[in-house]
Amino acid sequence: VYLAVYLAQYKQGLLQSSVRSATMDYLETLPSLSALQHLPLFWDQAMLEELQCSVVKNAVRSRREEWKQEFVVIHYAIKSMGLPSPFSSLTLQTWYWARSIVSSRAFTDLGNNNFPCLCPYVDMMNHVTSSQSQESNEVV
């Protein structure tokens, strides 16, 4: 969840830095929300209905509900802390994007109580597209 909060802040443009860093290089390689539309989590209701009573349909509904509950808690925490409006403008779709990034790109860290962690360089080797690398020589 902490990783997803960090990624959601990045997605909203709240982590801009004047110093170029490996972290920012990695974050720029992450797919956009539109690039994740193939994931069942982002399928529209009509597509889900075509699955009828499948395990996938039920899993998507369950995952959406789980992540929506996290979103509600995080939104409540942001508002109760009185953070500036850019923080409170977090949308459910951005939250789904951030959670999808963590769940699809994180690895279990046995030395950290089996919590997920991002491994940027492993992930970049696995997921950076040629179009992304053409856009930025620094990614390569």
Side-chain angles (χ1 to χ4, degrees):
V1 172
Y2 292 121
L3 288 172
V5 169
Y6 181 81
L7 292 173
Q9 289 177 4
Y10 163 74
K11 190 70 170 169
Q12 289 182 233
L14 299 174
L15 297 180
Q16 295 174 352
S17 172
S18 60
V19 178
R20 194 75 194 165
S21 70
T23 302
M24 292 306 281
D25 289 341
Y26 170 67
L27 293 174
E28 289 175 6
T29 69
L30 296 175
S32 65
L33 181 59
S34 62
L36 297 180
Q37 297 305 304
H38 67 284
L39 296 176
L41 183 78
F42 297 104
W43 292 353
D44 63 25
Q45 193 58 34
M47 289 177 73
L48 288 176
E49 290 305 319
E50 289 182 19
L51 297 173
Q52 297 178 5
C53 296
S54 75
V55 173
V56 173
K57 180 180 177 180
N58 293 333
V60 168
R61 286 188 171 161
S62 176
R63 175 64 54 94
R64 283 180 180 173
E65 185 57 33
E66 176 188 339
W67 288 356
K68 185 176 180 180
Q69 292 305 314
E70 290 175 354
F71 173 79
V72 168
V73 169
I74 288 166
H75 231 270
Y76 176 78
I78 288 170
K79 287 185 179 187
S80 67
M81 292 175 65
L83 293 173
S85 62
F87 286 93
S88 61
S89 65
L90 175 66
T91 66
L92 184 58
Q93 285 296 334
T94 300
W95 183 247
Y96 284 168
W97 172 85
R99 288 298 271 134
S100 295
I101 293 295
V102 172
S103 67
S104 67
R105 296 175 172 316
F107 300 86
T108 301
D109 182 3
L110 298 176
N112 192 23
N113 295 325
N114 292 330
F115 285 112
C117 66
L118 295 178
C119 299
Y121 294 107
V122 172
D123 187 46
M124 287 169 76
M125 287 186 283
N126 194 29
H127 294 286
V128 172
T129 65
S130 58
S131 63
Q132 287 172 314
S133 62
Q134 290 171 0
E135 291 173 10
S136 171
N137 289 333
E138 292 180 21
V139 171
V140 178

